[in-house]
Amino acid sequence: AGEFVAPYVDTVEEDVEMILDLADVGVGDYLIDLGAGDGRFVIGAAQRGALAHGVELEPTLVDRARANAERVGVSDRTHFEVVYIFDADISMSAVVTIYLFPEANIALRPKLLAELAPGTRLVSNSFHMGDWTPDARAQGRTSGGALLWIIPANAAGIWRFTTPQGPARLTIEQRYQRIEARLEINGTRVPLESAVLHGDVIQCVAAGGTLALHGRISDTHLHGQLTLAG
């Protein structure tokens, strides 16, 4: 991945809250902050009832983060470690926060897409992810704002299933969370007016509402419901 070192920059408390709000962080979440600095995102998540883990390369900042967590009484819900962000285990997180330059974000992108489960919320303070369009944004008064992505499942390929009208084939082309879908039933093209992927959930609707498919992707299977008009 190369060696990326982001300079430590304080995030004002207002923007910490904005970013945690955008990610809808709360009780039951497990948040990992890659490049945790003095721990303010980790501590803010813990104060909302989440479990939170800070990854930071600078030992003095890790010591400061632990002291800050102890001072506000959230040591039992926080953990900080000295680890390079590209070596961190992020697979169990529900939310990942980052405050890195775009070059580091883009270098980190393959790891995020490969290791995070579909539906994981990824929030970047200020900086983009290259050609990966965010799902939502929030604008702060003192920063470049925040960008949110929902990790998509791998939906690309050909999905086959049966319907009362005969065998069906759903062909999907995918670029990050954006998909293009083509549906054929019994060899006849069914025009689709929308095809949306959100995490591991896919929804396709035919023109005129004559057909609706709502399903959840799990590895190589798509489980759900197909509704045909009439």
Side-chain angles (χ1 to χ4, degrees):
E3 197 71 21
F4 287 92
V5 179
Y8 172 62
V9 178
D10 284 342
T11 302
V12 299
E13 190 59 33
E14 177 183 323
D15 286 351
V16 172
E17 295 304 313
M18 173 192 68
I19 289 166
L20 295 176
D21 283 344
L22 183 61
D24 195 24
V25 175
V27 176
D29 282 330
Y30 177 46
L31 177 143
I32 293 182
D33 187 18
L34 297 177
D38 66 358
R40 58 191 64 193
F41 281 102
V42 171
I43 291 168
Q47 289 174 321
R48 292 172 175 229
L51 297 176
H53 180 176
V55 173
E56 172 57 51
L57 194 59
E58 177 53 57
T60 58
L61 287 173
V62 169
D63 290 340
R64 190 190 308 174
R66 289 170 178 160
N68 289 340
E70 177 71 27
R71 178 173 50 82
V72 298
V74 294
S75 293
D76 60 332
R77 294 196 298 278
T78 61
H79 176 68
F80 298 93
E81 62 176 336
V82 179
V83 175
Y84 186 41
I85 57 174
F86 287 90
D87 297 328
D89 181 359
I90 60 175
S91 60
M92 299 301 293
S93 55
V95 183
V96 172
T97 52
I98 52 177
Y99 189 10
L100 306 168
F101 288 142
E103 296 80 8
N105 283 356
I106 292 168
L108 192 62
R109 191 172 62 192
K111 175 181 176 71
L112 297 168
L113 288 166
E115 298 180 20
L116 295 177
T120 303
R121 291 154 275 163
L122 168 66
V123 189
S124 172
N125 186 350
S126 301
F127 297 114
H128 63 77
M129 276 275 177
D131 63 349
W132 185 8
T133 305
D135 293 288
R137 297 173 183 262
Q139 186 58 52
R141 291 189 299 177
T142 59
S143 73
L147 301 89
L148 169 72
W149 295 263
I150 305 298
I151 300 297
N154 181 13
I158 298 174
W159 303 89
R160 293 182 174 87
F161 51 98
T162 58
T163 79
Q165 298 176 348
R169 184 171 73 171
L170 179 67
T171 304
I172 296 177
E173 296 181 1
Q174 179 178 2
R175 180 69 173 168
Y176 305 117
Q177 75 273 43
R178 309 300 180 191
I179 60 172
E180 294 184 5
R182 176 187 176 96
L183 177 63
E184 297 177 12
I185 297 180
N186 207 21
T188 301
R189 174 81 177 270
V190 179
L192 297 176
E193 66 179 20
S194 67
V196 177
L197 178 66
H198 185 80
D200 61 355
V201 175
I202 186 169
Q203 184 166 327
C204 300
V205 178
T210 57
L211 173 151
L213 182 150
H214 184 89
R216 189 176 297 275
I217 297 168
S218 176
D219 296 323
T220 59
H221 291 80
L222 173 59
H223 304 274
Q225 180 172 315
L226 179 71
T227 304
L228 301 171

